Amino acid sequence: MAEFAYPNLDGLDKAYARDGYAIVRQVIDESLVAEANRHVDWLIEHNPDLQPERLGYWLTPTDPFWMRLVSDPRIVDVAAAVVGPDVALFAADYIAKPPGTGQRVAWHQDASYWPLEPMQVVTLWVAYTESNRANGCVRVIPGTQHMSLQPRNPDETDYQGEMLRGMDQSLISADDAVDFILEPGDISLHHPMIIHGSEANTSSRWRRGGTYQYIPTTTEVTQEDWPVFLLRGTDTVGRNTYRELPRYVPGQHMPFRGCEAWP
């Protein structure tokens, strides 16, 4: 597995193109990690009907801290090393697996879910706690980024304790998997076609992370009214309509460092 130490990202694009995944160590600092964990707690408190694993993109576009987080220059640096200098945010979620009950994520390909044309997108998984086999870290099947897009399970809405049902699970052997073992502040990257998933959290500790999808401005989001944000560079082709970053409103949003001046 190719590993890099931020800010030296030389060769990250080549390693990602070759392997379909990579890890960058120590990208963000302890204070931002702590704020992200506080934000997860805040979202859980303010969305009691949602499972912690499902703090999804419908919450993001109007949340100033979340947008401050995904637009952090260090995180965008990692995305830009793969997608190029003109970077937009396509989607962002927290996946927070509680101790002992955190759900499994079945083997799947991200590309089967996303309204993108062309499918030029990179997923960054930003660790806000330790992420390891015991608490259900992300796992990938090397080489599967070269597979064709597999049909999704017809019974996908029948979760049966899983976050999603994914694809035909018989096509995959877990013996081939590579685990992303991460410390807080580390980032893993993976390709939209690579088959990946994660096991349940059977440990006594949280597994928390953010999964953020970045696209070049040459990629079009084909679903109408999807919230897209230009984070770096310029829009040279006009394929998307970009929203303004949300402003902080006292009493409505979680306070965070620099919130009064955001964005």
Side-chain angles (χ1 to χ4, degrees), residues 93-250:
D93 304 85
Y94 285 126
I95 302 180
K97 293 186 180 185
T101 62
Q103 293 181 324
R104 179 178 183 265
V105 180
W107 297 117
H108 66 284
Q109 294 168 299
D110 288 339
S112 65
Y113 296 88
W114 292 341
L116 298 174
E117 180 59 43
M119 190 56 65
Q120 293 178 350
V121 55
V122 63
T123 292
L124 272 56
W125 203 97
V126 186
Y128 299 122
T129 64
E130 292 181 2
S131 183
N132 50 50
R133 294 195 70 176
N135 65 8
C137 66
V138 174
R139 318 180 76 198
V140 301
I141 307 296
T144 54
Q145 72 271 19
H146 302 302
M147 289 180 63
S148 60
L149 192 62
Q150 301 299 305
R152 284 159 52 180
N153 274 336
D155 61 344
E156 180 146 22
T157 57
D158 181 16
Y159 293 112
Q160 298 181 9
E162 297 181 334
M163 284 188 64
L164 52 80
R165 300 306 304 280
M167 51 183 281
D168 183 353
Q169 303 295 286
S170 67
L171 297 175
I172 302 304
S173 171
D175 293 338
D176 298 327
V178 169
D179 298 309
F180 288 168
I181 308 300
L182 305 177
E183 296 293 326
D186 291 346
I187 292 180
S188 66
L189 302 80
H190 64 263
H191 190 280
M193 292 293 289
I194 202 167
I195 295 174
H196 64 289
S198 62
E199 296 301 320
N201 183 1
T202 59
S203 78
S204 60
R205 305 179 70 177
W206 279 92
R207 193 220 69 171
R208 293 180 173 187
T211 175
Y212 309 143
Q213 284 76 41
Y214 297 91
I215 58 175
T217 55
T218 50
T219 289
E220 180 181 2
V221 181
T222 59
Q223 182 171 319
E224 189 175 355
D225 296 326
W226 189 281
V228 192
F229 297 86
L230 181 62
L231 301 183
R232 179 176 293 180
T234 58
D235 177 18
T236 58
V237 292
R239 303 193 75 183
N240 299 304
T241 300
Y242 298 104
R243 296 192 183 185
E244 293 186 3
L245 295 173
R247 293 192 175 276
Y248 170 74
V249 179

